Amino acid sequence: METISLAQYSLVYNAFSFTFATMAATTLFLWFGRSQVGPAYRTALTISGLVCAIAAYHYFRIFESWSGAYEAKDGILLVTGVAFNDAYRYVDWLLTVPLLLIELILVMRLTQSETTSKCLRLGFAAALMIVLGYPGEIADNNASRALWGTLSAIPFLYIVWELFKGLGESIERQPDNVRKLVKDARLITFASWGFYPIVYMVPYTDLGGGTVETAVQIGYTIADLVAKAGVGVLIYVIAVRKSAVEYPELAKST
């Protein structure tokens, strides 16, 4: 266990608690919001809500594990001897990261063949990226961390290429009232995903052990909030705007 201060423990503790609540609230918002969009976009909102629901569950487990690993007593932070289980993050990412790409593709409403092809390719690449990154995350030396991090970057670069090149033409075919929003969703996805490798590299710095652990936990948590809850709300807005154009009867009924 890394030696951390009581202030660092509390910061991470509160970040986990806040993220659990945010993910749970976003799940309800997205699922109840399905009634505001046309049938073609309800699956996208269902998946987006599912992403946040999975994240909420895992953040609850992460929160419990963090609480069980330390004990604050008389203003002093003690290690309980129960290891903090950070593997919950990778289980979460293995499920949610492919779904994040799929929800973006579904809200674009491409042809059936395009949707199937891109969902399969991007979903597989996303899962492979997570699987390759995990051995480096738990490695006890920076050489192994660098090796697996480099291997994980290969599918990540492919995903980036697909987001900007493979989906570029499809995005230009989107309705005028959502084209910029779709581009924003793509950009935010790329930016938040690009933040994960930066956090992954924190152990290479000269920061102390407790500071490294705190920076990693807070960094990953911020990236999760943006990539899941933030993009999820943006997917909802895109779906509502497209539905207003494609399902005028829905707009009249609301």
Side-chain angles (χ1 to χ4, degrees):
M1 296 292 293
E2 298 287 357
T3 302
I4 66 173
S5 68
L6 181 59
Q8 290 171 333
Y9 167 79
S10 298
L11 177 62
V12 176
Y13 179 97
N14 291 328
F16 289 162
S17 177
F18 174 80
T19 304
F20 164 68
T22 300
M23 294 297 185
T26 306
T27 297
L28 295 177
F29 171 78
L30 292 169
W31 282 348
F32 283 126
R34 291 177 75 255
S35 62
Q36 306 299 313
V37 304
Y41 302 106
R42 288 171 187 165
T43 301
L45 289 194
T46 299
I47 291 178
S48 189
L50 182 61
V51 165
C52 292
I54 293 171
Y57 167 76
H58 283 104
Y59 265 96
F60 176 71
R61 298 304 302 272
I62 291 170
F63 175 81
E64 283 191 319
S65 182
W66 184 260
S67 300
Y70 301 96
E71 180 184 3
K73 188 174 183 180
D74 298 328
I76 300 174
L77 189 66
L78 304 174
V79 177
T80 64
V82 179
F84 171 57
N85 186 0
D86 208 18
Y88 287 127
R89 285 198 183 279
Y90 276 80
V91 175
D92 173 81
W93 291 340
L94 186 61
L95 296 170
T96 59
V97 170
L99 293 176
L100 284 167
L101 293 171
I102 290 172
E103 71 182 44
L104 179 60
I105 293 169
L106 289 177
V107 83
M108 291 174 64
R109 199 180 182 184
L110 308 177
T111 65
Q112 184 174 353
S113 60
E114 281 183 297
T115 298
T116 301
S117 174
K118 291 186 183 299
C119 283
L120 288 174
R121 293 204 311 270
L122 288 172
F124 175 77
L128 182 61
M129 176 179 67
I130 301 304
V131 170
L132 291 174
Y134 181 65
E137 189 72 61
I138 62 174
D140 58 3
N141 63 85
N142 283 343
S144 296
R145 192 177 185 89
L147 171 62
W148 289 105
T150 300
L151 292 175
S152 179
I154 296 173
F156 172 72
L157 291 175
Y158 170 73
I159 292 170
V160 172
W161 182 87
E162 279 284 359
L163 284 175
F164 287 90
K165 181 66 176 178
L167 289 176
E169 184 179 340
S170 300
I171 290 177
E172 293 302 323
R173 297 199 302 265
Q174 294 295 299
D176 293 340
N177 67 330
V178 298
R179 189 176 302 140
K180 184 179 183 304
L181 284 175
V182 175
K183 289 181 178 179
D184 289 344
R186 178 183 63 176
L187 184 60
I188 293 173
T189 298
F190 164 70
S192 59
W193 284 26
F195 191 61
Y196 289 101
I198 296 174
V199 178
Y200 188 88
M201 298 289 287
V202 168
Y204 290 99
T205 66
D206 294 328
L207 298 174
T211 304
V212 168
E213 178 70 9
T214 303
V216 167
Q217 298 305 328
I218 295 296
Y220 282 151
T221 299
I222 292 172
D224 278 345
L225 282 167
V226 175
K228 296 170 185 176
V231 172
V233 171
L234 198 52
I235 292 294
Y236 168 80
V237 175
I238 292 169
V240 167
R241 288 194 181 182
K242 293 185 75 174
S243 296
V245 175
E246 299 171 17
Y247 298 91
E249 69 281 4
L250 182 65
K252 292 178 182 179
S253 64
T254 56

